[in-house]
Amino acid sequence: MNYIKTTFSTLLAIILLTACNNPQKQQATEQQQDTVVQEATPSEKKQNIVFFGNSLTAGLGLENQTEAFPALIQQKIDSLGLNYTCINAGLSGETSAGGKDRIDWLLKEPIDVFVLELGANDGLRGIKPEATKKNLGEIVDKVIKAYPNCKLVLAGMKVPPSMGEAYFKEFEAIFPALAQEKNMTLVPFLLDNVAGITKLNQQDAVHPTKEGQLILAENVWKHLEGIL
């Protein structure tokens, strides 16, 4: 009986030793372990931040669109390791009415954060503030309908004092009112610390220089960062 027990123990030891020294079996086990680890770590898809605006967003007059504030914000995002892609959907000359029509084709792609920068061209043309507010509101409504969980940001704008005090105040009031109604994060004035400063604007005295765009990026970022 002791001989049988000894023989059985010896055979069991040989089987276990052979299994441990079998490189193919060991490799298969390691591959299975690797597979489990890979399946437990799904890849993350980047979220889209769409900057929907006019020439200020598009970077009119700059050498490259990478100098416009949406691209500068992308640099900040990348430096912080955040999982977002900035999409520059600026169009020079765009009005709120034009934007209301153009937004439809942009909604074909996912939007996780929507930054609305329109209205400046309305103001320069003297369009009634209530019409501008209505158009901007309809743009936002379309985005909300397509992507209910989208985070919303509104860039505030002002007109030159030469447009008259009454119009100046009515136009300026569009943005805080709309932001409150639509639950949007408000950038009080996109061109803060840039408008009217010669060295920060191009020869047309309207569009920021490369240095001016850096300030625009900061103006937006300090409000955008908190919702990402």
Side-chain angles (χ1 to χ4, degrees):
M1 181 67 67
N2 290 335
Y3 172 76
I4 294 174
K5 288 183 178 179
T6 303
T7 303
F8 178 77
S9 299
T10 302
L11 289 173
L12 181 60
I14 292 172
I15 291 171
L16 291 174
L17 183 62
T18 302
C20 291
N21 291 332
N22 188 332
Q24 292 182 345
K25 187 170 183 179
Q26 185 175 3
Q27 184 178 9
T29 302
E30 290 174 352
Q31 288 176 346
Q32 289 177 356
Q33 292 175 344
D34 290 342
T35 301
V36 172
V37 172
Q38 290 171 2
E39 291 177 353
T41 311
S43 59
E44 295 184 4
K45 184 178 180 181
K46 287 195 173 184
Q47 299 185 68
N48 292 330
I49 304 177
V50 174
F51 292 84
F52 189 68
N54 51 42
S55 56
L56 297 175
T57 294
L60 181 67
L62 300 175
E63 290 186 5
N64 196 296
Q65 199 180 63
T66 58
E67 296 177 350
F69 75 86
L72 299 175
I73 289 176
Q74 180 72 70
Q75 293 177 17
K76 293 179 181 291
I77 287 173
D78 292 343
S79 69
L80 294 172
L82 300 177
N83 199 38
Y84 292 91
T85 297
C86 294
I87 300 171
N88 190 328
L91 179 65
S92 296
E94 186 76 292
T95 62
S96 63
K100 186 176 65 175
D101 295 331
R102 185 166 66 98
I103 189 61
D104 292 328
W105 70 268
L106 282 173
L107 296 176
K108 297 177 182 178
E109 295 294 330
I111 300 177
D112 301 285
V113 182
F114 184 71
V115 181
L116 179 58
E117 180 276 301
L118 281 178
N121 289 319
D122 292 42
L124 293 176
R125 297 180 185 187
I127 294 174
K128 291 183 178 180
E130 54 266 33
T132 297
K133 183 173 180 290
K134 182 176 182 295
N135 290 333
L136 294 177
E138 290 182 12
I139 292 172
V140 175
D141 289 341
K142 287 184 177 184
V143 175
I144 293 174
K145 183 178 179 180
Y147 303 103
N149 296 322
C150 180
K151 297 175 182 178
L152 306 167
V153 179
L154 180 63
M157 188 54 58
K158 299 179 182 181
V159 294
S162 59
M163 299 296 294
E165 184 177 356
Y167 188 81
F168 180 93
K169 290 181 178 180
E170 289 178 20
F171 184 86
E172 183 182 29
I174 292 173
F175 302 93
L178 184 63
Q180 185 174 12
E181 290 175 15
K182 304 296 183 181
N183 193 28
M184 305 176 76
T185 297
L186 177 66
V187 178
F189 183 32
L190 177 65
L191 295 174
D192 190 32
N193 296 319
V194 175
I197 301 176
T198 303
K199 66 179 181 179
L200 296 176
N201 288 275
Q202 299 174 39
Q203 291 184 353
D204 61 9
V206 173
H207 296 96
T209 60
K210 177 180 178 180
E211 292 73 23
Q213 286 280 346
L214 288 169
I215 298 176
L216 265 60
E218 290 295 335
N219 291 342
V220 175
W221 179 247
K222 64 184 178 183
H223 297 281
L224 176 63
E225 181 181 16
I227 67 172
L228 299 182

